[in-house]
Amino acid sequence: APRFRGKSQLPPITSPAPTAVPCLAYGGKQEMEVLDQIFPPREWMDNNNQYIQYVCRDPCTRTDLSDLQDELDSLLLQRNAREVGLCSVRRELYKQCFDELLRQVTIGCAERGLLLMRIRTEIETTIAAYKTLHKSSMAYGMRKSLQAEQNRIDLDKKITELELENNELQKQLNEQKAKCDAIEKCEEVQRQVEERNHNVKVELLRQTNQMLCKPCKF
């Protein structure tokens, strides 16, 4: 992260406000104003005293740059950052490293610092948009999953009801078939009885007819 005056990364106690840190000879007033715009000073209260802390104005040397790279590699190993894929730890460390490089570039050239700040803002805005999209997609997916689960439950319930209804209808159909078979058997027996009676009557009539047709003897 960009270096602030003091030994601790958290706000250490420095000179109380409104005492300001003067611009040093190696940086112009414009660079310092842009630097404070990019990295606003930290302010806090302690024992009813207000303190302010500015970002470090020290210029960067080759040794500082080499130490920054070594520190970045060391922190990546210490915090077990992933080498590939999405990794919040790796992103946070690279963000802090970029902020330190932005501080160093701004001290030498305010215009480059402002341009890098635009790039940093654009990257952060894009990442924030992707986070929002991810959250909304997760919420949408969760809603669809719950809806699908509810639909599955409703369909299972409907299937159960239809199966029960089908079983009841099948039972009624079997009862009607049994009744129909019983009626058909009864009708068949009655038809056979009536047919036998009819045959007997026909035979009687035939015999009577034969007897009537015989000639009489006197």
Side-chain angles (χ1 to χ4, degrees):
R3 294 179 296 172
F4 284 81
R5 291 188 180 275
K7 296 181 179 180
S8 175
Q9 185 67 20
L10 296 177
I13 298 178
T14 59
S15 57
T19 303
V21 178
C23 298
L24 303 181
Y26 47 75
K29 182 177 181 180
Q30 181 183 4
E31 284 76 9
M32 297 305 102
E33 291 178 352
V34 173
L35 193 62
D36 291 337
Q37 179 183 355
I38 298 175
F39 303 105
R42 298 174 176 177
E43 298 182 8
W44 70 98
M45 297 294 296
D46 186 21
N47 295 329
N48 295 325
N49 292 323
Q50 183 179 5
Y51 294 87
I52 186 169
Q53 183 185 40
Y54 294 91
V55 71
C56 181
R57 263 67 168 169
D58 296 338
C60 175
T61 63
R62 290 184 178 272
T63 302
D64 294 335
L65 188 60
S66 178
D67 293 341
L68 177 62
Q69 182 176 356
D70 294 339
E71 183 178 3
L72 174 62
D73 295 336
S74 177
L75 289 175
L76 289 173
L77 292 175
Q78 290 178 9
R79 300 182 61 177
N80 297 323
R82 296 180 181 179
E83 294 183 1
V84 294
L86 297 176
C87 179
S88 59
V89 174
R90 188 179 74 247
R91 177 180 172 274
E92 179 62 26
L93 292 176
Y94 273 99
K95 179 180 180 299
Q96 294 180 9
C97 182
F98 185 84
D99 288 344
E100 172 59 19
L101 292 176
L102 177 57
R103 181 194 71 83
Q104 297 174 5
V105 171
T106 305
I107 293 177
C109 180
E111 290 76 10
R112 291 178 183 175
L114 290 175
L115 182 57
L116 285 178
M117 184 183 68
R118 288 181 56 188
I119 296 174
R120 183 189 66 175
T121 303
E122 178 63 24
I123 293 175
E124 292 177 349
T125 303
T126 302
I127 294 177
Y130 280 126
K131 284 184 177 180
T132 303
L133 180 61
H134 175 70
K135 290 181 180 180
S136 60
S137 62
M138 289 292 292
Y140 177 79
M142 185 62 66
R143 289 195 302 270
K144 284 298 182 180
S145 178
L146 294 176
Q147 183 179 0
E149 182 65 20
Q150 185 62 39
N151 290 337
R152 186 187 65 81
I153 295 175
D154 294 340
L155 288 176
D156 290 342
K157 183 178 178 180
K158 186 66 174 180
I159 290 173
T160 302
E161 293 176 354
L162 291 176
E163 287 179 348
L164 293 175
E165 183 179 358
N166 181 63
N167 293 334
E168 183 65 23
L169 292 175
Q170 187 66 35
K171 181 179 178 181
Q172 295 179 6
L173 178 62
N174 293 333
E175 292 176 354
Q176 295 298 325
K177 283 185 177 180
K179 290 181 180 180
C180 183
D181 293 339
I183 293 173
E184 287 180 353
K185 289 181 180 180
C186 182
E187 291 293 331
E188 180 65 22
V189 172
Q190 185 176 358
R191 186 188 64 80
Q192 291 177 359
V193 171
E194 291 179 354
E195 185 177 359
R196 284 197 301 269
N197 293 334
H198 176 71
N199 292 334
V200 171
K201 290 181 179 180
V202 171
E203 182 63 24
L204 290 175
L205 291 174
R206 187 180 62 79
Q207 292 178 1
T208 302
N209 185 48
Q210 288 179 354
M211 293 177 62
L212 293 175
C213 290
K214 288 182 179 182
C216 294
K217 295 181 180 181
F218 297 98

